[in-house]
Structure formats: C-alpha cells, structure tokens
Amino acid sequence: MGQPQKPIAAEQQILSLGRVLQSLREEDDVDVLIETTISYLKEEFDYRLIWIALYDRLNHILFGKGGITPDRDTSFLHQRVVLSPGDLLEQVVIEQHPLGIADLQTEIRAAEWRKIAEKLQIQGTIILPIRYKDRCLGLLLLGSDRWGYLLTGEAKARLMMVLGELGALLYQHEMHKQQKQTKRSDEPLLELLENLRTLTNLNQRLEAGVQATHKFISPNRTNVYWFDREGRYFWCRMSNQLVKSDRNSSNQQAPGMTVQDLSDFYYALAVNQIVSIGDARSSLKSHFTAKLLQRLKVRSLLAAPIIWQKNLLGFLAVESNEPRIWTETDKNFVQSVASLMSLVTPTESMESTIKQIQEDAQLTGQVAQGIYSEHDLQETLHICAKRVLARLTATRFFLLQYDPEQNNYQFIYQSQPHNRRPLTFTLNTLKELDVQLLQRSTEAVEIENLDEDLRFFNWRPFLLESGVRSLLICKCTQSHIPAALLVITHETHRSWTTLEKDLLWAVSQQIGVIVRQWQLHNRTTQQQKTSQAFEQCLNILTKTQNSNEVEKKHLEHTALEQIASILGCPLALLLSWSPGENLAEIIPGVIDNSQFGIFSDASIPIQSEALIQWALVTENYLTLKVDNLPPETRKWLNTPDKGQILVMALRTNADYEITGVVLLADYQERRWSQQNLNAIATLISQLAWWRRQKQINRLLESTTEELRQLNWYKHRRLEEIQRITALSLKQIHDLGIPANELTQMRYQLLLRQLDHTATSMSGMLKLENWQLHISWETMPIASLLKRSLERIENLLKQQKLWIGVHGLGQPIDEQESPKNSSLVRGVPSSSAQSAMAIAGDIVKIELVIHELLVTACNRSPIGGRIDIWCRRLDASKPSEAKQSSAIVGAEHQTSLELSITYNGAIESQLLTELHQNTLKDVLAPSKLDQPPALHLLICQNLMLELGGELNFYQLPDNRVVSRLLLPLVSHDS
C-alpha cells in the first residue's frame, strides 16, 4: 500500500466538523460545550471577536459564557446583558434569524458593543441565534476587522450545523435540569409532611415549615407573618433567625406591616395569589413593589398566602438581600408549604371554634324566637343588635329600608354606643353596579377600607363623615332593588372572618322575615286607610242633592282632604270653572305645610295656564317637578323648589265638558305607589261625576223654575184673554143681529169664528194646564197645507218668495214623481186630495208645519223658492216601512212624507246637534239652547210624541230639507 495522501482543504474542514460534532455529542457540561464550540470557531473561521451568550427567557437577559478578543481581555464577555426594546441583540432573540452588520462601530442600536468595536477595531459582524424547536437558547457574535459581513455558503452551512447541535444539547440540558429540580422538591415535601404528623403544637409545625423552606430555597431569611384582623396588620410569628416570636415582642428581626401601607400586596394574598418579586420582575405594581421591598429591607421576595375557609391567616415569605430569579420550583415549593400550614392551623383553635359555632347557633336561635314572639319590631331588633355588635366587635348596627316614593334608603332601626349620636341622614339609591353586586351575593359584602374601596360610592361621603371606616352589608330580601339592608360598621379599618360573615348573613335573612311581616302590616294599614278614605269620600259625595253653593264647596273641600290623605300630600286644591267660562276659581282643600302658599283670590285664565292645559291633554294623571313650572304659575302657586306636583282633570266622558283640575303637591320629590295613584284617580273621577251631576241638577232646577214661571204667566194671560173674549161675545149676542142681510151674513160668520176660538181656548185651558193633551182628529192634507200657507202669506210677500206644493194630485194607488204636478200659491181641489187625510192632533201638527215654513222663509234668500213635496208611503213595502219605522203603530199604517226644501244657509253643527243619535252634553254651550234652533228641537221632540218623525238634512246641491212623516188615515177607517 502506498502512503496516504495529505487531505485537501475541503476534506480537512469536513473532518474538523465531524470531530467537533462528535465532541459536542459526548459532552454533558455546558461550559465544556461552549469552550469546544469557541475552539472550533477560532480554528475554522477568521474572526477576531467571538462571543457566546445564553438566553434567560423568563427574565429576558443574556448571560455571557466567554469567547476570544484581539487583546485577550475577556472580562466583558462574561457580563450579564439586559435586553431592551430596539436593541439588535433583542431583535435576533425575538426573530431568531441571523443578522449582519457591515460596520459595528457605526451601529447606534448596539450601544455597548459599539464602544467595544471602536476599542478593538471591529467592523463586519454577524449575530446568529442558538435555537432549538423555535426556542432561542442563546446568541453567537462573530466580529471581523474587515468591513462587510459576507459569509460563504459552505462556511455558513458548517456554522449552522455546529450551532444546531449546540442548541439541541443546551435544550436537553435545560430540560434535564428542570426535571432534576422538580424531582428534588418531592423529598423535602414528603419529609415535611411526616414531621407535621408527629408535631402537636402549631408553632412547632410552623417552625418545621420555615426550616424546610429555608433549607430547600436557601434565601437570606424565611418568615411566617400572621394577620391580625382587628388591627389589620401582619406580625412576624415565626422566622428561621428567631425561631418563635410574639406579636408584642420588641426584639423581632423581621418587621411587621399594616394593610393600609401595602394594600395591593394584601389583596393579592387575600385572593390566594402568590407574590413573586425577583430580579427585574414583579407580580405587583412597581410603586408597591418598591414600597414592600423597602419595608422588609430586602431585594427579592417570594410570598405564599396561608388561607383557611377563605380567611387569610397569614403568609410564608422567602426573602433575599440580593436580586434573585425565583424558579417555578421555588414558587411551587413555597406554595405547597403554605398550603400545608393552612391545613394544620385549625387544629390549634378547634375547641374555641366549636364553642364559637355553638354561641352563633344560640344567637341565631334567639333572633328566630324574636320573630314569633309578641315583641314589636324595635324590641326584637334591639335584642338582635346588642348580641351581633358584641359578637362581631362592631360599632354600629343599622337596618335600612328602601322607600320607593322617596327613591332612597331610610333608617328603620339603628344601634350605636352611648357616646355616639344616631345617624340622621338618608342614603341615596344604590348605583346599578352596587345593586347587581348585592343581587349576586350569597354572603355578607365586606369593605375593609372605606377610604380606598369604591363600592357603594354614593354612600361613602355620608358614612365617612360619620366616622365609618369598614363595614359589612347584607341584603335581607330578594328583589330588583334590595328592599332591606342590614349593615354593621366599625370606626377603624378591619376585616371579618368567613364564620363572622356567615353569622351576619344568617341573622340578616331572619331579620328579612321580620321586615317582610312589618311591610305587610304597613301595607294592610295603608289599604285600610285607603278604604276608609274611599268610604268617607263616597259618603260625602252621596249627601243631599239639594245642597247650595256654600255647602257644595265645603263638600269639595272635604273630598280633597280625603284624596290628599291617601298620598300624604300637604297641599291639595281644585281649579274649578263652569262650561263656557274663561277663568278658573281656586277651591282650597289642604294646606298643612308653611312652605306652601296659595293666592286664592287669583283669577286664573284657563287657556294660558300651563298646569290646566297639561292636565287637559293628559288622559290620566300627570306628575311633574316644581322646577318645570313657568313663572306665571309660580305667581299664584308658591311651592318648594324640590317639590313635586300631581294634576288630574275632572274628566267624565270624552264628549263631556271638563270643569276642573285637581292639584296635589309635596315638598320633595317622591315616587308614589301605583296602588295609591290608582286609588286617587278613582276618587278624582268620582268627584268629577259628582260635580257634573250637581251642575246638571242646578241647570235642570233653574230651567224648570223658569218654565214654571213662564207657563204660569202665559196660562193666566190666556185665562184673562179668554174671559175678555167670552165677555165680548156675550155683549155682541146681547146687541142682537143686524137687519142688513149682507151684514148679517158676515156678522154670523165672524161670530162663529169667535165662538170656535173661544171654545178651543177653553179646551186648552182646561186640558193643558201643566201638560200636553194629545187629541185625535183627521184633516185632509190639502186643507192643512192651505191653512198653513195662509198664515205665512204676509211673510211670503215681504220676502218675495215663491212656494210650490207637489204631489197632492196623485191617485191613491200611485206614487207620482214630484215633477208631474206643481202648485203655485195654492192647492188644487180634487177627489184624490180629500182621500189623503192625516190623523192625529191637528192643532199641534199645524203648529209644527207652520214653524218649519217660518224657518224656511227666514233662512231663504229674498226672491227664493220653497218647495213642499208630498209622497204617500205604503207600509206594506219593506223599503218604505223602514223609513217610517219610527212612527208609533206604523207596522200596518200608511204614512205621508212631507218634505220642505229651500235654498238657504244652515250650520253643519246645528244639523249634527239635531240628529237624534248624537250624544249631547247638557252642560256644554249649544245652539239648541236659544231660538230658532230651540223651536226646531221642540218640534222634533213633539213629533215623536205625536207618532210622527221630523228630520233635518242637507242635499248635495246645498238645499236644506225638513222631512216630516205623518200618519195617514187608512182607506178603510
């Protein structure tokens, strides 16, 4: 065999790469791995500066592990580098990609390395990450004295292979170290658990926990701090330097601390969170971190809470005088030891706890007995408050009840020391967040420091001013807004145990039963009060109907008193007016408060007064604040600025006139219950109907009195006229009959007419003294119309009116169209006419026809035309029977339709009021109250009594029609 040839350069590089990879795989020591890598880089790559650093991802720090420099000064290569945002080293760590720098001396993003590069004359630089599975484990920095940072592909490949192998080995080493540390913590914990089983004293158990923790973690000091609830401070109960401590000892090496000084630290422990303060890292805010370290005189701290039944008993603290990075193993171990201390703590106070539970059960039992005893609410609450304050060492005990009318909480009971005054203010309603907090709560809500706690924010100023610094609050009842709240307070910052909070919760639920009973009693009392007000008010309104105006106002005043008593309003009055009036009168009802003033003599204009108009447009009652009243109203109504007003119109029916407005007022804003509002609305409505009935009665009495006087006067005048007429006839008869034949004939004719008039006048005076007498006679319609036209002959001439009568010439069996016959100022005589005769009280029917003709003449224009249409209606035909259905007994009788038409003006409102089906308000002003419309209404009602029908309407061509239905004499009768 020949001599082996000398390897070429490429082969030497591959062989060198294989050797270094083999060396890395066979080594376990991290420092040796890094030295091997540095040696390989020094031999194979031409770089004057080589630096390798390992990355601590928890603290975001690089630890220098060595390298080479041109001046052989490697001290700075072993320094610790804290990564900062924007730094080139941080960029490589985060992005995990190589970064090339052409001239490190000019790179502003590498401040420290820029100075080093200037010192060592380094320019071209490459920074590469040492990574494994997307996890950065360190950095490699290569610096050259040449400008630029080019690296050939083959050299880059070899370099990445070495760094990849180094990253995999570093990752395995880190995982192995974590597993080794985790396994090591099991043995000390098992040993500690065995020791705790053999020890009986709590201090000995705490000492064992402290010693085990100090041995495992090796800090400068390990302490157990115990929490004093009443003083709200922590004192050092156990320390590795001072084995046993007392809270009153003055030579403690570890200082105590108050909750007020370090609130964030306390609240973190209270919710079972471990507090870790290490090198450049803290689980607390920076402000509290510095304050806590200064208070304990340390630079690193690891604290785990000791909690039993949600109560913070204290905490286990591991303290170091130097910055230290706490590992997950350290945290887990401290938390585990603190949990073991929590388990062994209750055994020390087991007997006292059992005794306390028995006393609490006795206390709740006594409260429950108070519910079923005959004691009143105040006495029961007095007994309960005395025991609860003594048990919880609190200062004040008070029970709040929500008042929906005032929208605030009021004290229904409170207890305090003899040297403290009772609270006299009321508390505003809670904010929505506080209401939700109470609704979700299943235990007492605790506020240890009212100065810093923002819960129940709108109560804080009042409570702080009264000396309250901490409190417990429980809801006594379940409702949307808690109706009753039980609160105990203390004058210092303190906390309560879970057992104490559970006791107060149980007491509050029992008190809730008492409060509900008391509320039911008050509700029953209020209902009885409302019922009595209803009874008294209805008795008032049902008194004599013949009361005068003075007595009426007295009854209204008394009714307003009863209405105001339901809401407890100190002011009640009535703004009253009559239909058609423009001014309202003030009728006072109740003025029980000097803060109110009424100018009772004021005349209030109805149309411009805001309160009246607001009430008129509101269907029911209306509530408003006094601030909303205009200045014009404040001139006659003087009320407090924070007052509240309720107004309601005296409304009976939508079509009836409103004659008044009831006004109720209070000196403060209230939320009246819907039950009371409904009650007063009913009473006000009843008052409205009573007033309406009174007004109708007065109107009818007045009208009746006037008609009686008028009837008496006209009747006596007719008697006198009849007496004089009869006397004149007697004197004429006594004179004898003239001798002249013509004069004698005219004389006899006039004499018969006077006899007939006197006879008819005598019959009217005899039969129709105080009521109408309906007679029965017949008359041809032609004769009736002829007599009616003769009576208005002078009126026709004055108005130059043309009048025509149509339909009298038709035979009995025909219904001829009105166009086929006409009359001008006359009625033709025929056999058909005589057959068309009407039946009934001819005198009254003639007066009705006369009134209709007079109305037509007065409403027609000068030179106009009036038409009288006559048409026979046969009741056997359905269409005609419907038209005459209003005629009494018209089922088997034929009727005559008499229509008077003319071109004249008539108000649409008058036509509406004359319609029989229209609902009429007797108190409302109407055209039917005065002639001539009153005469038409009288004729319409009279025709109904006579068995006929009278209607008024207007045709599309604007002609006015007066349609009269009269019973015809049948052909057989």
Side-chain angles (χ1 to χ4, degrees):
M1 295 177 61
Q3 294 292 331
Q5 297 181 357
K6 185 178 180 179
I8 60 178
E11 294 177 352
Q12 289 180 354
Q13 293 174 355
I14 295 175
L15 292 174
S16 177
L17 177 61
R19 285 195 299 270
V20 71
L21 293 177
Q22 184 65 29
S23 299
L24 293 176
R25 294 190 186 100
E26 295 175 354
E27 188 57 54
D28 293 331
D29 194 331
V30 175
D31 294 334
V32 176
L33 291 174
I34 293 175
E35 290 177 1
T36 302
T37 304
I38 294 173
S39 298
Y40 172 74
L41 296 175
K42 181 179 179 183
E43 294 176 0
E44 297 296 328
F45 298 91
D46 185 15
Y47 287 97
R48 299 183 63 192
L49 175 62
I50 300 175
W51 178 60
I52 293 180
L54 298 183
Y55 174 60
D56 181 3
R57 64 186 182 87
L58 296 178
N59 299 295
H60 202 47
I61 297 175
L62 290 175
F63 293 94
K65 303 301 290 184
I68 61 173
T69 60
D71 58 359
R72 300 185 182 279
D73 181 12
T74 60
S75 59
F76 69 90
L77 299 180
H78 294 273
Q79 292 182 357
R80 184 183 62 176
V81 178
V82 179
L83 299 178
S84 58
D87 192 357
L88 289 177
L89 300 180
E90 187 193 46
Q91 179 180 343
V92 176
V93 168
I94 295 176
E95 297 180 359
Q96 299 187 24
H97 290 293
L99 178 65
I101 306 169
D103 188 356
L104 187 58
Q105 298 179 24
T106 60
E107 182 57 57
I108 62 175
R109 293 181 295 168
E112 297 296 331
W113 285 100
R114 179 181 179 184
K115 298 177 182 178
I116 296 173
E118 292 176 352
K119 178 181 177 182
L120 301 178
Q121 298 299 315
I122 301 298
Q123 289 186 330
T125 304
I126 298 177
I127 305 175
L128 301 99
I130 303 174
R131 56 188 294 273
Y132 181 76
K133 292 184 177 179
D134 295 331
R135 182 171 178 179
C136 184
L137 302 170
L139 293 180
L140 169 63
L141 186 145
L142 300 176
S144 174
D145 56 357
R146 299 184 304 274
W147 186 91
Y149 47 86
L150 293 178
L151 190 64
T152 63
E154 181 269 337
K156 183 178 180 181
R158 288 187 287 116
L159 181 60
M160 297 306 294
M161 292 176 65
V162 174
L163 293 181
E165 187 66 27
L166 178 61
L169 295 174
L170 290 176
Y171 179 79
Q172 293 177 3
H173 178 75
E174 183 176 346
M175 294 296 102
H176 178 70
K177 181 180 178 181
Q178 292 181 0
Q179 293 175 0
K180 187 176 181 181
Q181 289 178 346
T182 303
K183 292 179 181 179
R184 268 208 318 266
S185 64
D186 295 343
E187 296 179 2
L189 286 175
L190 292 173
E191 183 180 353
L192 173 61
L193 184 59
E194 186 65 27
N195 291 337
L196 294 178
R197 289 174 54 192
T198 60
L199 299 174
T200 58
N201 185 275
L202 178 60
N203 286 330
Q204 293 177 353
R205 292 174 174 175
L206 295 179
E207 178 187 355
V210 168
Q211 296 297 339
T213 304
H214 192 77
K215 180 180 179 182
F216 182 79
I217 300 180
S218 300
N220 294 97
R221 187 167 61 244
T222 303
N223 299 320
V224 171
Y225 290 88
W226 217 246
F227 181 52
D228 186 284
R229 291 191 171 274
E230 295 186 11
R232 293 188 86 235
Y233 69 91
F234 292 95
W235 58 281
C236 184
R237 181 168 183 172
M238 190 65 60
S239 174
N240 69 303
Q241 297 178 357
L242 186 63
V243 175
K244 183 178 179 181
S245 302
D246 185 82
R247 75 176 67 187
N248 299 320
S249 177
S250 60
N251 58 352
Q252 296 181 14
Q253 296 182 9
M257 67 191 81
T258 63
V259 171
Q260 188 173 1
D261 292 337
L262 301 170
S263 56
D264 276 21
F265 175 67
Y266 166 72
Y267 290 127
L269 296 176
V271 295
N272 199 20
Q273 291 183 2
I274 187 170
V275 176
S276 173
I277 303 176
D279 189 8
R281 294 181 66 86
S282 174
S283 59
L284 300 177
K285 296 179 181 179
S286 58
H287 169 69
F288 290 99
T289 298
K291 194 173 183 179
L292 178 62
L293 295 179
Q294 182 181 3
R295 184 71 181 82
L296 295 176
K297 298 179 181 179
V298 296
R299 299 188 65 183
S300 299
L301 174 67
L302 189 61
I306 302 174
I307 294 179
W308 174 252
Q309 291 184 342
K310 299 180 182 181
N311 296 317
L312 180 63
L313 305 178
F315 65 91
L316 173 63
V318 176
E319 306 166 5
S320 178
N321 296 330
E322 298 296 333
R324 178 167 174 175
I325 299 175
W326 304 109
T327 63
E328 291 296 327
T329 303
D330 296 338
K331 297 177 184 179
N332 293 334
F333 189 86
V334 173
Q335 195 169 17
S336 299
V337 174
S339 299
L340 290 176
M341 291 180 178
S342 302
L343 294 175
V344 300
T345 298
T347 57
E348 181 189 36
S349 57
M350 187 67 71
E351 293 182 1
S352 61
T353 302
I354 294 174
K355 182 178 179 181
Q356 191 64 66
I357 293 174
Q358 292 174 348
E359 293 178 355
D360 293 346
Q362 183 180 5
L363 172 60
T364 55
Q366 291 173 348
V367 175
Q369 291 176 1
I371 299 175
Y372 303 101
S373 66
E374 296 182 356
H375 300 307
D376 61 4
L377 176 64
Q378 297 295 322
E379 184 177 353
T380 301
L381 292 177
H382 174 72
I383 299 173
C384 175
K386 182 179 179 181
R387 296 182 179 276
V388 169
L389 290 177
R391 167 67 178 86
L392 301 183
T393 61
T395 307
R396 292 181 182 271
F397 174 105
F398 50 83
L399 185 62
L400 298 172
Q401 183 184 21
Y402 176 70
D403 186 353
E405 294 188 0
Q406 306 289 344
N407 194 27
N408 59 17
Y409 280 92
Q410 299 180 355
F411 294 92
I412 59 176
Y413 179 82
Q414 55 179 317
S415 177
Q416 61 281 327
H418 297 292
N419 58 349
R420 298 291 188 273
R421 294 181 178 180
L423 304 180
T424 57
F425 51 81
T426 59
L427 295 172
N428 297 328
T429 183
L430 294 171
K431 301 294 184 182
E432 185 63 26
L433 290 177
D434 296 327
V435 172
Q436 294 177 2
L437 172 65
L438 290 175
Q439 287 177 344
R440 294 193 301 264
S441 65
T442 56
E443 62 179 9
V445 178
E446 179 183 24
I447 295 183
E448 301 179 15
N449 187 351
L450 190 60
D451 296 297
E452 299 178 355
D453 204 314
L454 297 181
R455 290 176 295 178
F456 307 100
F457 184 78
N458 52 342
W459 290 4
R460 291 176 71 249
F462 304 97
L463 296 177
L464 289 174
E465 186 177 353
S466 302
V468 176
R469 292 298 179 268
S470 57
L471 57 91
L472 284 177
I473 180 170
C474 298
K475 62 179 180 181
C476 301
T477 56
Q478 297 286 345
S479 57
H480 175 64
I481 298 178
L485 297 175
L486 176 61
V487 183
I488 65 167
T489 68
H490 203 277
E491 294 181 345
T492 61
H493 302 149
R494 64 157 296 178
S495 61
W496 287 270
T497 65
T498 302
L499 187 61
E500 292 172 335
K501 290 187 284 188
D502 291 343
L503 170 64
L504 187 65
W505 178 263
V507 171
S508 69
Q509 300 310 297
Q510 293 176 344
I511 291 179
V513 178
I514 303 176
V515 172
R516 280 192 291 270
Q517 291 179 346
W518 181 65
Q519 290 174 341
L520 290 175
H521 173 72
N522 288 345
R523 189 176 303 173
T524 302
T525 303
Q526 180 63 32
Q527 290 176 350
Q528 291 176 351
K529 181 179 178 181
T530 303
S531 177
Q532 292 174 359
F534 261 91
E535 182 179 357
Q536 294 177 8
C537 192
L538 292 177
N539 288 336
I540 293 170
L541 300 181
T542 54
K543 285 189 175 180
T544 174
Q545 299 292 327
N546 297 322
S547 58
N548 55 27
E549 188 66 21
V550 176
E551 185 178 355
K552 169 179 170 292
K553 289 186 177 181
H554 173 70
L555 295 178
E556 290 175 342
H557 170 81
T558 309
L560 289 175
E561 289 181 344
Q562 298 301 323
I563 293 173
S565 67
I566 295 179
L567 294 182
C569 291
L571 175 66
L573 58 88
L574 175 63
L575 301 176
S576 175
W577 64 88
S578 298
E581 293 183 349
N582 297 323
L583 297 178
E585 176 190 4
I586 298 177
I587 299 177
V590 178
I591 303 179
D592 289 342
N593 197 303
S594 60
Q595 302 181 44
F596 294 95
I598 301 298
F599 184 42
S600 57
D601 295 333
S603 296
I604 303 173
I606 299 174
Q607 296 300 326
S608 60
E609 174 51 50
L611 277 179
I612 295 178
Q613 293 302 316
W614 291 342
L616 293 181
V617 298
T618 305
E619 185 175 354
N620 206 339
Y621 52 80
L622 173 67
T623 59
L624 63 153
K625 298 181 181 178
V626 173
D627 298 338
N628 299 329
L629 295 181
E632 291 75 12
T633 303
R634 302 295 290 271
K635 292 180 181 179
W636 62 269
L637 177 62
N638 183 21
T639 58
D641 293 335
K642 295 183 179 180
Q644 181 168 290
I645 289 178
L646 182 145
V647 291
M648 182 174 177
L650 295 179
R651 181 178 284 104
T652 53
N653 187 289
D655 297 321
Y656 290 165
E657 290 286 316
I658 296 175
T659 59
V661 171
V662 173
L663 185 148
L664 304 173
D666 204 344
Y667 55 86
Q668 61 183 348
E669 184 178 355
R670 296 175 59 183
R671 290 186 178 181
W672 291 301
S673 67
Q674 191 61 46
Q675 180 181 2
N676 290 342
L677 290 175
N678 294 338
I680 67 161
T682 303
L683 288 180
I684 292 176
S685 177
Q686 188 66 33
L687 176 62
W689 282 105
W690 177 81
R691 278 172 52 87
R692 174 178 172 78
Q693 187 62 38
K694 286 290 184 182
Q695 291 171 340
I696 291 176
N697 288 345
R698 287 200 305 272
L699 176 62
L700 295 179
E701 289 172 0
S702 174
T703 304
T704 302
E705 184 66 23
E706 292 177 358
L707 292 177
R708 284 175 177 175
Q709 294 174 2
L710 179 63
N711 185 66
W712 172 83
Y713 168 73
K714 288 186 176 182
H715 198 78
R716 290 295 179 260
R717 289 285 294 171
L718 284 175
E719 286 180 346
E720 180 64 16
I721 293 172
Q722 191 270 341
R723 185 184 67 80
I724 295 174
T725 302
L727 181 61
S728 299
L729 285 174
K730 183 176 181 302
Q731 293 174 355
I732 292 173
H733 284 291
D734 292 342
L735 290 176
I737 301 175
N740 189 308
E741 183 177 353
L742 180 60
T743 304
Q744 181 181 2
M745 183 177 64
R746 293 177 58 86
Y747 175 82
Q748 291 179 346
L749 178 62
L750 292 175
L751 192 60
R752 280 198 300 271
Q753 290 179 351
L754 286 175
D755 287 336
H756 177 73
T757 302
T759 303
S760 63
M761 194 178 303
S762 300
M764 181 187 70
L765 293 174
K766 180 179 180 181
L767 299 176
E768 297 182 311
N769 188 1
W770 289 104
Q771 61 182 3
L772 292 177
H773 173 73
I774 307 300
S775 63
W776 183 263
E777 46 190 333
T778 63
M779 176 177 284
I781 186 60
S783 301
L784 183 61
L785 289 178
K786 185 175 181 180
R787 289 169 53 175
S788 299
L789 292 176
E790 289 175 353
R791 295 179 64 178
I792 64 170
E793 185 173 0
N794 292 333
L795 188 58
L796 293 174
K797 291 178 179 180
Q798 293 175 3
Q799 297 289 106
K800 300 179 182 180
L801 298 175
W802 184 91
I803 188 166
V805 180
H806 314 274
L808 290 182
Q810 63 181 347
I812 296 179
D813 298 332
E814 297 179 2
Q815 293 186 11
E816 193 175 301
S817 174
K819 298 181 181 180
N820 296 339
S821 62
S822 62
L823 287 176
V824 179
R825 294 185 177 271
V827 180
S829 179
S830 67
S831 60
Q833 297 169 17
S834 60
M836 292 182 64
I838 60 173
D841 195 325
I842 300 301
V843 175
K844 295 179 176 60
I845 294 176
E846 182 179 356
L847 289 175
V848 170
I849 296 176
H850 173 72
E851 187 69 35
L852 296 178
L853 291 174
V854 170
T855 301
C857 292
N858 291 332
R859 290 182 177 273
S860 296
I862 296 177
R865 170 173 174 160
I866 300 175
D867 292 293
I868 302 176
W869 303 89
C870 299
R871 185 162 70 104
R872 179 190 182 95
L873 298 179
D874 191 354
S876 61
K877 296 184 178 180
S879 60
E880 297 175 351
K882 289 183 179 179
Q883 294 178 358
S884 60
S885 59
I887 302 177
V888 179
E891 293 83 354
H892 305 287
Q893 188 175 12
T894 305
S895 59
L896 173 68
E897 180 187 60
L898 181 66
S899 299
I900 302 174
T901 63
Y902 57 92
N903 289 307
I906 189 169
E907 299 85 352
S908 58
Q909 182 181 358
L910 177 59
L911 292 177
T912 303
E913 293 179 354
L914 287 172
H915 195 276
Q916 295 181 359
N917 296 329
T918 303
L919 185 62
K920 301 171 184 177
D921 185 1
V922 297
L923 298 178
S926 173
K927 293 182 177 295
L928 300 179
D929 296 336
Q930 299 295 332
L934 176 60
H935 296 166
L936 297 179
L937 178 63
I938 294 174
C939 293
Q940 191 177 52
N941 295 332
L942 182 59
M943 287 308 304
L944 289 177
E945 295 184 21
L946 296 177
E949 183 178 340
L950 176 58
N951 295 309
F952 304 91
Y953 56 92
Q954 194 165 19
L955 297 176
D957 58 1
N958 294 327
R959 284 187 301 164
V960 180
V961 179
S962 301
R963 180 175 179 269
L964 185 65
L965 286 182
L966 300 172
L968 278 177
V969 179
S970 63
H971 185 66
D972 299 333
S973 59

